[in-house]
Amino acid sequence: MKILIVSAEVSPFAKVGGLADVAGALPKELTKLGHDVRVAMPSYPMIENDARYNVRPIVDDISICWGDGSTKHAFVKTTTLDKVPVYLVGSDEYFREAIESKKIYSSGWEPYAFFAKATIEMLKNIEPKWIPDVIHVNDWHTGFLPVYLKVNYSDDPELGHIATVSTIHNLAYQGEFDFDILAAAGLPSDLFAMDKLECYGRVNFLKAGLVFSDMVNTVSETYACEIQTDEYGCRLDGLLRHIAYQDKLRGIINGIDYTIFDPANDSAIKAAYRRTDTAGKAKCKSALQKEMGLPTKKSVPVIGMVTRLTDQKGLDLIKKAMPKLMKENLQLVILGTGDPVYEKYFTQQSKKYPEKISVTIGFNAALAQRIYAGSDFFLMPSRFEPCGLGQMIALRYGSIPIVRRTGGLGDTIFEFNPAKGNGNGFVFDKYDSKELTSAIDRALAAYADPASWLKIVGNAMRSDYSTKRCAAQYESLYKTAMDRRNTQALAA
Ligand code: ADP
């Protein structure tokens, strides 16, 4: 299959969260399965100007007809992700402020409508010609691509056959704008209907992608069920139930790139280690304690967190539990950025308990690796979690996840049973700070028992959540999308 994966963030070029990890890892695994895979993403200055990526221009000027009759101009540059070709689709007008990952997301709809249209037009302009069988779009930023493809190109002899797949990485972000944008985006106003792009009186980019794609998936089986409920559906649960009824919805758990996340071969960490020889992990722990300004005591369990600081991540539970947690024999190492309220709160706590909490505000991939490697536990008490990659990386580094059973966390982390010796973490159900502290108590009890600890670290490091596993499921999803597209074409 010829597959084009389209995403606003792709690791290592631009990363804000888990979407980048998946968009960076999946193309490589699909290539290993024998497919011809390419990636398209917006062209950000931080990539263009990074000598490591050896970015070259391939198309200087593509004219894009805009809704108001004006013409916009796109360029395409290229780089590679291992051997996978990456198209950087840009313009002098959009995405120019992206000089670091923090700034990649622009406000407004226009950059994303432009990117969608320009990515399709790019296919007519690159040499040698390459027309994908399937285009895989991700989250709301790319939601207009399937719409343009079906509305404007369905009669095109080459582009009209392309199947589309839309992945929901996070339903909470939908890209909602006023009705007027439809005309400006060059789309007919009759698309402003409940069964198309309209959602509660606004144009909804995510919904657009879901309605117009041949297949839809989200990033864990549990989240695929949860989003059909009022509680987790973010006002799209009715649509998602309908999509599920049409047999158009799948859940595919994400994976991580085991070559990037590998404690046996990671230049960011103090000492290498592996499941069969974890001696290096103790060195990573004391190096982390030292780096974070915490007492370098071997016996004190270190709980790590690497996270966007948003409500989604269950931070209010930690806040409630803090007085109790600070009475325990533990250290908390937090790396995160996001909501200023949480940034301030955790910074204050680290000043109040300098021997127990270290907080680093910012995005720092290398420090993140040192936290995964140097911590004993990894905390993710999320309110909701479509998949979660943090817990998978933690397992790989032998840091035991303590999580709330929601979305992908429940699909990947299983409560440790000291009697049977099975399980790879600690799990609680109710969104309640007492449940959180009781899970932490169970975790600390296991830490204090050498036999249990040996067992659980082994179980964690043996868990397999590599992208390899999910690539085959995406392969089957693409095939189904192509079959559905062909059936529709025949019916038309
Ligand atoms: P989400 O996509 O909701 O942010 P995930 O757990 O799926 O959460 O993925 C988060 C990814 O981003 C992980 O690879 C995590 O290590 C990384 N990450 C999150 N915050 C930071 C940070 N402040 N610095 C470095 N890496 C981070």
Coordinates of all heavy atoms in Angstrom, one line a residue, residues 329-393:
N329 N 7.3 8.3 53.1 CA 8.8 8.3 52.8 C 8.9 8.2 51.3 O 9.0 7.1 50.7 CB 9.4 7.1 53.5 CG 10.9 7.0 53.2 OD1 11.5 8.0 53.0 ND2 11.4 5.7 53.1
L330 N 8.9 9.3 50.6 CA 9.0 9.3 49.1 C 9.5 10.6 48.6 O 9.6 11.6 49.3 CB 7.7 8.9 48.5 CG 6.4 9.8 48.8 CD1 6.4 11.1 48.0 CD2 5.2 9.0 48.4
Q331 N 9.9 10.6 47.3 CA 10.3 11.8 46.6 C 9.5 11.9 45.3 O 9.3 10.9 44.7 CB 11.8 11.8 46.3 CG 12.7 11.8 47.5 CD 14.2 11.6 47.2 OE1 14.6 11.3 46.0 NE2 15.0 11.9 48.1
L332 N 9.2 13.1 45.0 CA 8.3 13.3 43.8 C 9.2 14.2 42.8 O 9.6 15.3 43.2 CB 7.1 14.1 44.2 CG 5.8 14.0 43.5 CD1 5.4 12.6 43.2 CD2 4.7 14.7 44.3
V333 N 9.3 13.7 41.6 CA 10.1 14.4 40.6 C 9.1 14.7 39.4 O 8.6 13.8 38.8 CB 11.3 13.6 40.1 CG1 12.0 14.4 38.9 CG2 12.3 13.4 41.2
I334 N 8.9 16.0 39.2 CA 7.9 16.4 38.2 C 8.5 17.2 37.1 O 9.3 18.2 37.4 CB 6.7 17.2 38.8 CG1 6.1 16.4 39.9 CG2 5.7 17.6 37.8 CD1 5.0 17.2 40.8
L335 N 8.3 16.9 35.8 CA 8.7 17.7 34.7 C 7.4 17.9 33.9 O 6.7 17.0 33.5 CB 9.7 16.9 33.8 CG 9.9 17.5 32.4 CD1 10.5 18.9 32.4 CD2 10.8 16.5 31.6
G336 N 7.1 19.2 33.7 CA 5.8 19.5 32.9 C 5.7 20.9 32.6 O 6.4 21.8 33.1
T337 N 4.8 21.2 31.7 CA 4.5 22.6 31.3 C 3.0 22.6 30.9 O 2.5 21.6 30.5 CB 5.4 23.1 30.2 OG1 5.0 24.4 29.8 CG2 5.4 22.2 29.0
G338 N 2.4 23.8 31.0 CA 1.0 23.9 30.6 C 0.3 25.0 31.4 O 0.7 26.1 31.4
D339 N -0.8 24.6 32.1 CA -1.7 25.5 32.8 C -0.9 26.3 33.8 O -0.3 25.6 34.8 CB -2.8 24.7 33.4 CG -3.9 25.6 34.0 OD1 -3.5 26.7 34.4 OD2 -5.0 25.1 34.2
P340 N -0.8 27.6 33.8 CA 0.0 28.4 34.7 C -0.4 28.1 36.2 O 0.4 28.2 37.1 CB -0.3 29.8 34.3 CG -0.8 29.8 33.0 CD -1.4 28.5 32.7
V341 N -1.7 27.8 36.4 CA -2.2 27.5 37.8 C -1.4 26.4 38.3 O -1.0 26.4 39.5 CB -3.7 27.3 37.8 CG1 -4.2 26.8 39.1 CG2 -4.5 28.5 37.3
Y342 N -1.3 25.3 37.5 CA -0.6 24.1 38.0 C 0.9 24.4 38.1 O 1.6 23.9 39.0 CB -0.9 22.9 37.2 CG -2.3 22.3 37.4 CD1 -3.2 22.3 36.4 CD2 -2.6 21.9 38.7 CE1 -4.5 21.8 36.6 CE2 -3.9 21.4 38.9 CZ -4.8 21.4 37.9 OH -6.1 20.9 38.1
E343 N 1.4 25.1 37.1 CA 2.9 25.4 37.1 C 3.2 26.1 38.5 O 4.2 25.7 39.1 CB 3.3 26.3 36.0 CG 3.2 25.6 34.6 CD 3.7 26.4 33.4 OE1 4.1 27.6 33.6 OE2 3.8 25.9 32.3
K344 N 2.4 27.1 38.8 CA 2.6 27.8 40.1 C 2.5 26.9 41.3 O 3.3 26.9 42.2 CB 1.6 29.0 40.1 CG 1.9 30.0 41.1 CD 1.1 31.3 40.9 CE 1.0 32.0 42.3 NZ -0.2 32.8 42.4
Y345 N 1.4 26.1 41.3 CA 1.1 25.3 42.4 C 2.3 24.3 42.7 O 2.8 24.2 43.8 CB -0.2 24.5 42.2 CG -0.3 23.4 43.3 CD1 -0.7 23.7 44.6 CD2 -0.1 22.1 43.0 CE1 -0.8 22.8 45.6 CE2 -0.2 21.1 44.0 CZ -0.5 21.4 45.3 OH -0.6 20.5 46.2
F346 N 2.7 23.6 41.7 CA 3.8 22.6 41.9 C 5.1 23.3 42.3 O 5.9 22.8 43.1 CB 3.9 21.7 40.7 CG 2.8 20.6 40.7 CD1 1.9 20.7 39.6 CD2 2.7 19.7 41.6 CE1 0.8 19.7 39.6 CE2 1.7 18.7 41.6 CZ 0.7 18.8 40.6
T347 N 5.4 24.5 41.7 CA 6.6 25.2 42.0 C 6.6 25.6 43.5 O 7.6 25.4 44.2 CB 6.8 26.4 41.1 OG1 6.7 26.0 39.8 CG2 8.1 27.1 41.3
Q348 N 5.4 26.0 43.9 CA 5.3 26.4 45.4 C 5.5 25.2 46.3 O 6.2 25.3 47.3 CB 3.9 27.0 45.7 CG 3.7 28.4 45.3 CD 2.2 28.8 45.4 OE1 1.3 28.0 45.5 NE2 2.0 30.1 45.3
Q349 N 4.9 24.1 45.9 CA 5.1 22.9 46.7 C 6.6 22.5 46.8 O 7.0 22.0 47.8 CB 4.3 21.7 46.1 CG 2.8 21.9 46.2 CD 2.3 22.1 47.6 OE1 2.4 21.2 48.5 NE2 1.7 23.2 47.9
S350 N 7.3 22.6 45.7 CA 8.7 22.2 45.7 C 9.5 23.1 46.6 O 10.5 22.7 47.2 CB 9.3 22.2 44.3 OG 9.4 23.5 43.8
K351 N 9.0 24.4 46.8 CA 9.7 25.3 47.7 C 9.4 24.9 49.2 O 10.2 25.0 50.1 CB 9.3 26.7 47.4 CG 10.0 27.2 46.1 CD 9.9 28.7 45.9 CE 10.5 29.0 44.6 NZ 9.7 29.9 43.7
K352 N 8.1 24.5 49.3 CA 7.6 24.1 50.7 C 8.3 22.8 51.2 O 8.6 22.7 52.3 CB 6.1 24.0 50.6 CG 5.4 23.8 51.9 CD 3.9 24.0 51.8 CE 3.2 23.6 53.0 NZ 1.7 23.4 52.7
Y353 N 8.5 21.9 50.2 CA 9.1 20.6 50.6 C 10.3 20.3 49.8 O 10.3 19.4 48.9 CB 8.1 19.4 50.4 CG 6.7 19.6 51.0 CD1 5.6 20.0 50.3 CD2 6.6 19.3 52.4 CE1 4.4 20.1 51.0 CE2 5.4 19.4 53.0 CZ 4.3 19.8 52.3 OH 3.1 19.9 53.0
P354 N 11.4 21.1 49.9 CA 12.6 21.0 49.0 C 13.2 19.6 49.1 O 13.9 19.2 48.2 CB 13.5 22.1 49.5 CG 13.0 22.5 50.9 CD 11.6 22.1 51.0
E355 N 13.1 18.9 50.2 CA 13.7 17.6 50.4 C 12.9 16.5 49.7 O 13.3 15.4 49.6 CB 13.8 17.2 51.9 CG 14.5 18.2 52.7 CD 16.0 17.9 52.8 OE1 16.4 16.8 53.3 OE2 16.8 18.7 52.2
K356 N 11.7 16.8 49.3 CA 10.7 15.8 48.8 C 10.2 16.0 47.4 O 9.9 15.0 46.7 CB 9.5 15.7 49.8 CG 9.9 15.2 51.1 CD 8.7 14.7 51.9 CE 9.0 13.6 52.8 NZ 8.3 12.5 52.7
I357 N 10.2 17.2 47.0 CA 9.6 17.5 45.6 C 10.6 18.3 44.8 O 11.1 19.3 45.3 CB 8.3 18.3 45.7 CG1 7.3 17.6 46.7 CG2 7.7 18.3 44.3 CD1 5.9 18.3 46.7
S358 N 10.8 17.9 43.6 CA 11.5 18.7 42.6 C 10.6 18.9 41.4 O 10.0 18.0 40.9 CB 12.8 17.9 42.2 OG 13.0 18.1 40.9
V359 N 10.5 20.2 41.0 CA 9.7 20.5 39.9 C 10.5 21.2 38.8 O 11.2 22.2 39.1 CB 8.5 21.4 40.3 CG1 7.7 21.9 39.2 CG2 7.6 20.6 41.3
T360 N 10.4 20.8 37.6 CA 11.0 21.5 36.5 C 9.9 21.9 35.5 O 9.2 21.0 35.0 CB 12.0 20.6 35.7 OG1 12.9 20.0 36.7 CG2 12.8 21.4 34.7
I361 N 9.7 23.2 35.3 CA 8.7 23.6 34.4 C 9.4 23.8 33.0 O 10.4 24.5 32.9 CB 8.1 25.0 34.8 CG1 7.5 24.8 36.2 CG2 7.1 25.5 33.8 CD1 6.3 23.9 36.3
G362 N 8.8 23.1 32.0 CA 9.4 23.2 30.7 C 9.2 21.9 29.9 O 8.7 20.9 30.5
F363 N 9.7 21.9 28.7 CA 9.6 20.7 27.9 C 11.1 20.3 27.6 O 11.8 21.0 27.0 CB 8.9 20.9 26.5 CG 8.6 19.7 25.8 CD1 7.4 19.1 25.9 CD2 9.6 19.1 25.0 CE1 7.1 17.9 25.3 CE2 9.3 17.9 24.3 CZ 8.1 17.3 24.5
N364 N 11.5 19.1 28.0 CA 12.9 18.7 27.9 C 12.9 17.2 27.7 O 12.8 16.4 28.7 CB 13.6 19.1 29.2 CG 15.0 18.8 29.2 OD1 15.5 17.9 28.5 ND2 15.8 19.6 30.0
A365 N 13.1 16.8 26.5 CA 13.1 15.3 26.1 C 14.1 14.5 26.9 O 13.9 13.4 27.3 CB 13.2 15.2 24.6
A366 N 15.3 15.1 27.0 CA 16.4 14.3 27.6 C 16.2 14.2 29.1 O 16.4 13.1 29.7 CB 17.8 15.0 27.4
L367 N 15.7 15.2 29.7 CA 15.4 15.1 31.2 C 14.3 14.1 31.4 O 14.3 13.3 32.3 CB 15.0 16.5 31.8 CG 14.6 16.5 33.2 CD1 15.7 15.9 34.1 CD2 14.3 17.9 33.7
A368 N 13.3 14.1 30.4 CA 12.2 13.2 30.5 C 12.8 11.7 30.6 O 12.4 10.9 31.4 CB 11.3 13.3 29.3
Q369 N 13.7 11.4 29.7 CA 14.3 10.1 29.7 C 15.0 9.8 31.0 O 14.9 8.7 31.6 CB 15.4 9.9 28.6 CG 14.9 10.3 27.2 CD 14.0 9.3 26.6 OE1 12.8 9.4 26.7 NE2 14.5 8.3 25.9
R370 N 15.7 10.8 31.6 CA 16.4 10.6 32.9 C 15.4 10.3 34.0 O 15.7 9.6 34.9 CB 17.3 11.8 33.2 CG 18.5 11.9 32.2 CD 19.6 12.8 32.7 NE 19.3 14.2 32.8 CZ 19.3 15.0 31.8 NH1 19.7 14.6 30.6 NH2 19.0 16.3 32.0
I371 N 14.2 11.0 33.9 CA 13.2 10.7 34.9 C 12.6 9.3 34.8 O 12.5 8.6 35.8 CB 12.1 11.8 34.9 CG1 12.7 13.1 35.2 CG2 10.9 11.4 35.8 CD1 11.7 14.3 35.1
Y372 N 12.3 8.9 33.5 CA 11.8 7.5 33.3 C 12.8 6.5 33.9 O 12.5 5.5 34.6 CB 11.6 7.2 31.9 CG 10.3 7.9 31.3 CD1 10.5 8.9 30.3 CD2 9.1 7.6 31.7 CE1 9.4 9.5 29.8 CE2 7.9 8.2 31.2 CZ 8.1 9.2 30.2 OH 7.0 9.8 29.7
A373 N 14.1 6.8 33.6 CA 15.2 5.8 34.0 C 15.4 5.9 35.5 O 15.7 4.8 36.1 CB 16.4 6.1 33.2
G374 N 15.4 7.1 36.1 CA 15.8 7.2 37.5 C 14.7 7.1 38.5 O 15.0 7.1 39.7
S375 N 13.5 7.0 38.1 CA 12.4 6.9 39.1 C 12.0 5.4 39.3 O 12.2 4.6 38.5 CB 11.2 7.7 38.6 OG 10.7 7.3 37.4
D376 N 11.4 5.2 40.5 CA 11.0 3.8 40.8 C 9.5 3.7 40.3 O 9.1 2.6 40.0 CB 11.0 3.6 42.3 CG 12.5 3.7 42.8 OD1 13.3 2.9 42.4 OD2 12.8 4.6 43.6
F377 N 8.8 4.8 40.4 CA 7.4 4.7 40.0 C 7.1 5.9 39.0 O 7.8 6.9 39.0 CB 6.4 4.9 41.2 CG 6.5 3.8 42.2 CD1 7.3 4.0 43.4 CD2 5.9 2.6 42.0 CE1 7.4 3.0 44.3 CE2 6.0 1.6 43.0 CZ 6.7 1.8 44.1
F378 N 6.0 5.7 38.3 CA 5.6 6.8 37.4 C 4.1 7.0 37.6 O 3.3 6.1 37.5 CB 5.8 6.3 35.9 CG 5.7 7.5 34.9 CD1 6.7 8.4 34.8 CD2 4.6 7.6 34.2 CE1 6.6 9.5 33.9 CE2 4.4 8.7 33.3 CZ 5.5 9.6 33.2
L379 N 3.7 8.2 37.9 CA 2.4 8.5 38.3 C 1.5 9.1 37.2 O 1.9 10.1 36.6 CB 2.4 9.5 39.5 CG 1.1 9.8 40.2 CD1 0.4 8.6 40.7 CD2 1.4 10.8 41.4
M380 N 0.4 8.5 36.9 CA -0.5 9.1 35.8 C -2.0 8.9 36.3 O -2.7 7.9 35.9 CB -0.4 8.3 34.5 CG 0.7 8.9 33.6 SD 0.9 7.9 32.1 CE -0.1 8.9 30.9
P381 N -2.5 9.7 37.2 CA -3.9 9.5 37.7 C -4.9 10.2 36.8 O -5.8 10.8 37.3 CB -3.8 10.2 39.1 CG -2.8 11.3 38.9 CD -1.8 10.9 37.8
S382 N -4.8 10.0 35.5 CA -5.6 10.9 34.6 C -7.1 10.8 34.8 O -7.7 9.8 35.1 CB -5.3 10.4 33.1 OG -3.9 10.5 32.9
R383 N -7.7 11.9 34.5 CA -9.2 12.0 34.5 C -9.7 11.2 33.3 O -10.6 10.5 33.4 CB -9.6 13.5 34.4 CG -11.0 13.8 34.5 CD -11.3 15.3 34.4 NE -10.9 16.0 35.5 CZ -11.6 16.2 36.6 NH1 -12.8 15.7 36.7 NH2 -11.2 17.0 37.6
F384 N -9.1 11.5 32.1 CA -9.3 10.6 31.0 C -8.0 10.5 30.2 O -7.1 11.3 30.4 CB -10.4 11.2 30.1 CG -10.0 12.4 29.3 CD1 -9.5 12.4 28.0 CD2 -10.2 13.7 29.9 CE1 -9.2 13.6 27.4 CE2 -9.9 14.9 29.3 CZ -9.4 14.8 28.0
E385 N -7.8 9.4 29.5 CA -6.5 9.2 28.8 C -6.8 8.3 27.6 O -6.9 7.1 27.7 CB -5.6 8.5 29.8 CG -4.1 8.5 29.3 CD -3.6 9.9 29.2 OE1 -3.3 10.6 30.3 OE2 -3.4 10.4 28.1
P386 N -6.8 8.9 26.4 CA -7.1 8.1 25.2 C -6.2 6.9 25.1 O -6.7 5.8 24.9 CB -6.8 9.1 24.1 CG -7.1 10.5 24.7 CD -6.7 10.4 26.1
C387 N -4.9 7.1 25.2 CA -4.1 5.9 25.2 C -3.0 6.1 26.4 O -3.0 5.3 27.3 CB -3.3 5.8 23.9 SG -2.1 4.5 23.9
G388 N -2.3 7.2 26.3 CA -1.2 7.4 27.2 C 0.1 6.7 26.7 O 0.0 5.5 26.4
L389 N 1.1 7.4 26.6 CA 2.4 6.8 26.2 C 3.4 6.8 27.4 O 4.2 6.0 27.5 CB 3.1 7.6 25.1 CG 2.3 7.6 23.7 CD1 3.1 8.3 22.7 CD2 2.0 6.2 23.3
G390 N 3.1 7.8 28.3 CA 4.0 7.9 29.5 C 4.1 6.6 30.2 O 5.3 6.1 30.5
Q391 N 3.0 5.9 30.4 CA 3.1 4.6 31.2 C 3.8 3.5 30.4 O 4.4 2.7 31.0 CB 1.6 4.2 31.6 CG 0.9 3.4 30.5 CD 0.2 4.3 29.5 OE1 0.6 5.5 29.3 NE2 -0.7 3.8 28.7
M392 N 3.7 3.6 29.1 CA 4.4 2.6 28.3 C 6.0 2.8 28.3 O 6.7 1.9 28.4 CB 4.0 2.7 26.8 CG 2.5 2.3 26.6 SD 2.2 2.4 24.8 CE 0.4 2.2 24.8
I393 N 6.3 4.1 28.2 CA 7.8 4.4 28.3 C 8.3 4.0 29.7 O 9.3 3.4 29.9 CB 8.0 5.9 28.1 CG1 7.4 6.3 26.7 CG2 9.5 6.2 28.1 CD1 7.4 7.9 26.5

